């Protein structure tokens, strides 16, 4: 009798084991001569060495499938254990699969331009109105790079611009005060990575989320670095951020120049950077429009209505 411990690395064990451990029960039925016990992310197997090796090979194929697709069906388990061909190729147009197994990919021409710009440049500016998928798609690209080990970490940042409430008046410690500004980044990550895996990556600092002020003095290497809501940076802040770039690093800067929350006389660093850095080799710039909005159809109408108001206000002044 031989015993082995198989560690399910880089995946969510809940997805692998199935609802109510249904996948594990299925594996036990398929390998009746083995004693199989699963706890946390470790499977302990006891039995004949030949069967145990076959089981270990099947588990590894299943693990790789979950790593790619964030999903595992009973049909997949049967095909793997029976040695049938499993179409495990990720389509070229898919960036990653979210925790529900849904493909994350470009849903408009300009979103595809953002994906292409990321692969063809080390720094990308993605500018457009709310709902065009700038942040979500950027984080998807970063998660893919982390999964494929082309980057060692993801660093996400936002300027903590006060809009109506002073940070000092908000309850809690500094983390409690800052977290509301970073929540959109957490939301996107939680849709792409299982909760347990996300928590583990954050504890190991493979994923770091911090306000822009915390970037000063750092050199960001071997990473995908995303600055969200860059329209709310000052020129000095954005200049500081862009010069943090280290070796083997890609940067994505997103923003909406129609939603600047800076004081009236303050200049947006994003608008200045778009002008100064245009045409520089290695820097891609993508403009998204109302046609790229992928939220509720009302969002497009709301954006159009406010843009019309802005035009009328500018004409009257």
């Amino acid at each position: 009798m031989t015993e082995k411990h198989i560690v399910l690395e880089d995946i969510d064990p809940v997805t692998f084991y199935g609802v109510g451990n249904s996948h594990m029960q299925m594996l036990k039925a398929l390998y009746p001569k083995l004693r199989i016990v699963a706890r946390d992310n470790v499977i302990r197997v006891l039995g004949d060495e030949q069967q145990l090796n076959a089981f270990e090979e099947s588990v590894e194929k299943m693990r790789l499938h979950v790593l790619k697709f964030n999903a595992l069906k009973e049909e997949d388990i049967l095909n793997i254990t029976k040695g049938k061909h499993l179409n495990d190729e990720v389509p070229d147009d898919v960036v990653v699969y979210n925790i529900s197994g849904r493909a994350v990919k470009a849903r408009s021409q300009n979103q595809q331009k953002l994906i292409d710009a990321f692969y063809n440049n080390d720094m990308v500016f993605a500018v457009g109105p709310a709902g065009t998928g700038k942040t979500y798609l950027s984080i998807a690209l970063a998660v893919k790079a982390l999964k494929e080990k082309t980057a060692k970490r993801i660093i996400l940042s936002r300027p903590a611009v006060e809009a109506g409430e002073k940070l000092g008046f908000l309850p809690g410690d500094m983390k409690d005060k800052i977290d509301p500004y970073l929540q959109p980044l957490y939301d996107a990550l939680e849709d792409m990575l299982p909760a347990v895996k996300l928590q583990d990556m954050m504890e190991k600092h493979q994923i770091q989320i911090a306000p822009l002020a915390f970037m000063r003095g750092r050199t960001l290497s071997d990473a995908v670095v995303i600055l969200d809501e860059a329209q709310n940076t000052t020129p000095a802040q954005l200049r500081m951020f862009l010069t943090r770039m280290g070796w083997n690093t890609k940067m994505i800067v997103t923003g909406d120049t129609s939603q600047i929350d800076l004081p009236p006389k303050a200049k947006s660093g994003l608008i200045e950077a778009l002008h100064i850095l245009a045409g520089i080799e290695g820097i891609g710039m993508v403009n998204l429009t109302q046609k790229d909005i992928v939220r509720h159809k009302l969002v497009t109408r709301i954006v159009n209505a406010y843009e019309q108001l802005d035009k009328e206000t500018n004409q009257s002044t």
Side-chain angles (χ1 to χ4, degrees):
M1 298 284 281
T2 306
E3 180 177 336
K4 280 193 177 182
H5 289 189
I6 303 171
V7 181
L8 301 175
E9 294 181 345
D10 300 328
I11 65 168
D12 180 19
V14 175
T15 304
F16 187 93
Y17 296 149
V19 178
N21 274 343
S22 58
H23 294 164
M24 291 309 299
Q25 296 303 323
M26 188 175 178
L27 282 171
K28 288 177 181 179
L30 289 165
Y31 293 92
K33 294 182 181 180
L34 296 177
R35 186 178 176 214
I36 304 167
V37 179
R39 178 173 293 179
D40 297 327
N41 69 329
V42 179
I43 302 174
R44 178 173 169 265
V45 196
L46 186 69
D48 173 75
E49 186 172 1
Q50 187 175 354
Q51 272 225 347
L52 197 150
N53 289 337
F55 175 81
E56 186 177 25
E57 186 179 336
S58 294
V59 167
E60 176 60 12
K61 288 179 180 178
M62 290 166 59
R63 187 191 71 83
L64 291 173
H65 186 85
V66 173
L67 186 63
K68 286 183 180 180
F69 299 101
N70 260 330
L72 186 66
K73 297 180 289 186
E74 291 184 358
E75 181 184 352
D76 300 325
I77 297 173
L78 283 173
N79 285 336
I80 289 171
T81 55
K82 300 300 181 184
K84 294 182 180 178
H85 175 70
L86 190 66
N87 185 10
D88 236 6
E89 293 298 319
V90 177
D92 291 339
D93 63 339
V94 174
V95 180
V96 291
Y97 288 85
N98 70 4
I99 58 172
S100 301
R102 181 178 62 83
V104 177
K105 56 185 178 180
R107 296 172 63 180
S108 71
Q109 188 174 4
N110 285 328
Q111 284 191 358
Q112 186 59 52
K113 286 181 180 179
L114 170 55
I115 294 172
D116 295 340
F118 175 79
Y119 291 128
N120 295 327
N121 299 276
D122 288 333
M123 184 179 293
V124 178
F125 286 82
V127 183
T132 51
K134 306 182 299 294
T135 302
Y136 189 81
L137 204 53
S138 297
I139 290 178
L141 289 163
V143 168
K144 181 179 183 180
L146 198 59
K147 284 187 172 186
E148 294 181 347
K149 302 187 186 304
T150 56
K152 293 181 180 178
R153 55 185 174 154
I154 299 172
I155 301 171
L156 308 174
S157 187
R158 269 185 146 209
V161 174
E162 299 172 357
E165 287 184 287
K166 297 292 183 183
L167 278 174
F169 293 126
L170 292 174
D173 58 18
M174 183 53 71
K175 183 179 185 301
D176 294 328
K177 296 172 190 292
I178 288 169
D179 270 358
Y181 294 102
L182 306 176
Q183 192 57 48
L185 304 179
Y186 287 114
D187 290 344
L189 283 169
E190 287 168 358
D191 192 51
M192 311 232 186
L193 294 166
V196 174
K197 185 61 182 174
L198 175 57
Q199 183 64 32
D200 180 61
M201 285 180 161
M202 293 186 74
E203 288 175 357
K204 292 178 179 176
H205 301 292
Q206 290 176 289
I207 295 178
Q208 302 172 28
I209 305 178
L212 181 60
F214 289 20
M215 294 293 111
R216 187 173 296 279
R218 299 183 66 184
T219 299
L220 309 175
S221 301
D222 298 310
V224 177
V225 187
I226 299 172
L227 175 62
D228 195 33
E229 300 289 351
Q231 76 275 4
N232 290 326
T233 62
T234 65
Q237 285 175 328
L238 189 52
R239 182 176 181 177
M240 176 274 293
F241 174 81
L242 297 178
T243 54
R244 300 305 92 201
M245 191 174 193
W247 293 106
N248 191 37
T249 288
K250 283 181 176 281
M251 279 189 169
I252 307 178
V253 179
T254 72
D256 178 1
T257 54
S258 70
Q259 290 188 348
I260 298 173
D261 297 319
L262 294 168
K265 293 184 180 180
K267 189 175 181 181
S268 169
L270 177 61
I271 292 177
E272 181 184 82
L274 291 172
H275 173 70
I276 294 174
L277 303 178
I280 292 181
E281 186 179 354
I283 298 178
M285 294 188 177
V286 180
N287 290 303
L288 297 104
T289 68
Q290 294 92 330
K291 293 180 180 179
D292 303 300
I293 292 175
V294 292
R295 292 181 186 168
H296 193 285
K297 60 184 177 182
L298 273 178
V299 175
T300 303
R301 298 172 191 169
I302 291 168
V303 170
N304 288 335
Y306 274 99
E307 284 201 348
Q308 183 61 35
L309 176 64
D310 290 340
K311 287 180 183 178
E312 292 172 359
T313 301
N314 292 333
Q315 288 174 357
S316 62
T317 56

